[in-house]
Amino acid sequence: MDTNSRSMLSIAAVTTMDSVMNRQIRRGLSLANATPLTELPKVPDTPIETLYIHIPFCHTLCRYCSFHKVKFNEPLARAYFVALRQEITAVLQMGYRFNRVYLGGGTTTILEDELINTIELIRSMTQIREVTCESDPFYFKQGNPRHLQGLVDRMSVGVQSFEDRILKATGRFEKFGSGREQADLVSQAIELFPTVNLDMMYGFAGQTPESVHRDLEQAMTLAPTQITTYPLTPGIGKNRKKCAPIMGPDRYLWHQFISVRHCLGQSFDQQFPWTFNRRQPNRKAHKYVLDGEDCFGVGSGAFGRFGRRFLVSSFDIHDYITGIQTNPNRPGVKFEKQIENIALRRHELMIMMGHGYLDSAQFKARSGQSLWQALPLEMGFLVACGALARQGINYKVTEFGQFLALKMFAGFLSGMDYLREQANKGYA
């Protein structure tokens, strides 16, 4: 097959997959059939992998971000943190234990003293292997990040791009400064914390493989522990319209993805097609995406998952605070939704493809069926388009297959956006 034919087949495969995934998201992740939570999951014998904590406040709202957030109001934010600590205390007193804590937002560091009190509470009540905290670059200019030393093990800094043109288009230049200024701020973070992840994005209007390469080279010169790269993900609802002015054509993503792999491959190892770890001796493992483990979410706008149960907390901040004040011994989870088996199997397929290898025996042990029994259409599609190469009863994921895994992950993020959009409309 010549290069042009191969390119046309690849574009057709990606377009088909995107269309199918959008339909699956709308059908499988609809909250129309979510039900009020009657009882919490049974406390397991072993620790749950992650306690996710959501901080839904920002000084300014980025146009491409669909996460649950509101404009910062200090009295409301302080009342929120009080309720949040009450919820965390209730969860821990029920006997739930966790391996790690992930604080996301919003802007987690928006009230530094409240954040510190929250982390100190958790560390005083339970043994945690790792605390990850998201941050924007500007915190390292206006805040006191040294106060978080010893409390935060992994700092994830949202940079997205060092290119001033993109920063201006996304409103981040006025908010956080130029790319050069942000690089200086990131350097401070790397000096302070044992593990620092940089969140980078591509797929912006006007980006080329060469400009993506330059962006990541600048990130690499800072020598962070980890670089997470993913395409601008517009979602499937109203967020897609907000993103439209800053999005580049989807057909350019393949070449930008190749540029990412070639650039970061110089000194980073690929963990997933979207996550790269710097090569260093005795490197500690850090997860960006769960491999199917359970997760407990606390705070307004948080999600959790226990097996086939998907848990949704209140997306109304006032309702969340009032609910905790009324019943401080009960977590803020309000709704649950049953996850279809097919959705769980597709997620397992995405994670395996992200790892670069489909292990048939492992998949059957987890799902009760072989890959072809559980996902005949998906497997047929992936083999036909050249995403998988057979190795005995198993499959190696090709470079194009890794790109499709990245697109699957982008679809997963779109699904989370879709859930948040529904929840914001009143389901939760």
Side-chain angles (χ1 to χ4, degrees), residues 118-159:
T118 303
I119 298 174
E120 287 180 339
L121 170 70
I122 295 169
R123 288 193 176 275
S124 71
M125 294 186 68
T126 187
Q127 296 294 316
I128 294 293
R129 185 177 68 229
E130 177 182 274
V131 173
T132 291
C133 184
E134 292 180 355
S135 176
D136 58 53
F138 199 60
Y139 171 65
F140 296 91
K141 181 176 182 179
Q142 69 172 6
N144 297 289
R146 291 186 184 278
H147 293 170
L148 295 178
Q149 284 186 293
L151 294 175
V152 173
D153 305 291
R154 178 177 178 267
M155 184 66 75
S156 185
V157 185
V159 174

Side-chain angles (χ1 to χ4, degrees), residues 193-206:
F193 296 97
T195 300
V196 173
N197 169 71
L198 294 191
D199 265 347
M200 303 291 290
M201 295 175 70
Y202 55 98
F204 292 101

Side-chain angles (χ1 to χ4, degrees), residues 305-320:
R305 179 197 149 186
F306 285 79
R308 292 187 58 195
R309 298 175 70 185
F310 196 77
L311 309 182
V312 185
S313 296
S314 174
F315 272 63
D316 183 307
I317 294 174
H318 293 280
D319 175 68
Y320 168 77

Side-chain angles (χ1 to χ4, degrees), residues 14-29 236 346 350 381 404-415 418:
V14 172
T15 302
T16 299
M17 191 182 75
D18 285 345
S19 176
V20 171
M21 286 189 67
N22 282 344
R23 290 199 300 271
Q24 291 173 351
I25 288 169
R26 290 187 182 277
R27 183 181 69 251
L29 294 180
I236 62 174
R346 286 169 178 155
M350 178 190 77
F381 168 79
L404 289 187
L406 174 71
K407 293 290 289 181
M408 290 177 186
F409 180 61
F412 170 75
L413 296 179
S414 292
Y418 181 54

Side-chain angles (χ1 to χ4, degrees), residues 140-358:
F140 296 91
K141 181 176 182 179
Q142 69 172 6
N144 297 289
R146 291 186 184 278
H147 293 170
L148 295 178
Q149 284 186 293
L151 294 175
V152 173
D153 305 291
R154 178 177 178 267
M155 184 66 75
S156 185
V157 185
V159 174
Q160 319 315 350
S161 176
F162 291 108
E163 187 178 342
D164 287 348
R165 179 188 63 82
I166 292 175
L167 294 174
K168 290 175 181 178
T170 57
R172 295 178 67 87
F173 188 95
E174 296 79 4
K175 188 177 180 181
F176 302 130
S178 69
R180 181 66 265 170
E181 291 172 315
Q182 292 192 49
D184 291 339
L185 296 174
V186 168
S187 294
Q188 295 180 36
I190 292 171
E191 292 176 2
L192 291 174
F193 296 97
T195 300
V196 173
N197 169 71
L198 294 191
D199 265 347
M200 303 291 290
M201 295 175 70
Y202 55 98
F204 292 101
Q207 267 189 320
T208 65
E210 292 74 24
S211 66
V212 170
H213 194 281
R214 288 194 299 271
D215 222 357
L216 292 177
E217 279 192 325
Q218 184 162 1
M220 290 169 61
T221 61
L222 301 172
T225 319
Q226 187 178 65
I227 297 178
T228 302
T229 64
Y230 48 94
L232 177 62
T233 304
I236 62 174
K238 64 181 180 180
N239 195 54
R240 176 173 287 275
K241 294 182 179 179
K242 291 195 301 179
C243 284
I246 60 174
M247 283 181 60
D250 200 52
R251 65 182 180 273
Y252 293 163
L253 287 179
W254 161 251
H255 296 291
Q256 293 176 16
F257 167 72
I258 296 301
S259 182
V260 168
R261 280 172 49 87
H262 289 176
C263 180
L264 294 182
Q266 300 172 50
S267 53
F268 283 70
D269 293 322
Q270 179 180 304
Q271 179 183 6
F272 285 102
W274 51 86
T275 306
F276 297 79
N277 297 314
R278 182 160 57 89
R279 295 188 193 107
Q280 52 186 339
N282 303 317
R283 184 179 68 207
K284 185 178 179 181
H286 300 279
K287 285 193 173 186
Y288 176 68
V289 176
L290 295 179
D291 286 10
E293 299 97 336
D294 289 342
C295 170
F296 200 115
V298 296
S300 176
F303 295 131
R305 179 197 149 186
F306 285 79
R308 292 187 58 195
R309 298 175 70 185
F310 196 77
L311 309 182
V312 185
S313 296
S314 174
F315 272 63
D316 183 307
I317 294 174
H318 293 280
D319 175 68
Y320 168 77
I321 294 172
T322 301
I324 297 297
Q325 290 173 340
T326 303
N327 192 351
N329 296 319
R330 180 179 173 83
V333 180
K334 292 194 68 175
F335 288 83
E336 67 175 319
K337 173 183 170 60
Q338 291 296 312
I339 306 173
E340 297 177 355
N341 282 332
I342 187 67
L344 294 176
R345 290 165 184 165
R346 286 169 178 155
H347 187 271
E348 176 75 12
L349 176 66
M350 178 190 77
I351 294 298
M352 280 190 167
M353 287 188 67
H355 281 300
Y357 192 73
L358 304 191

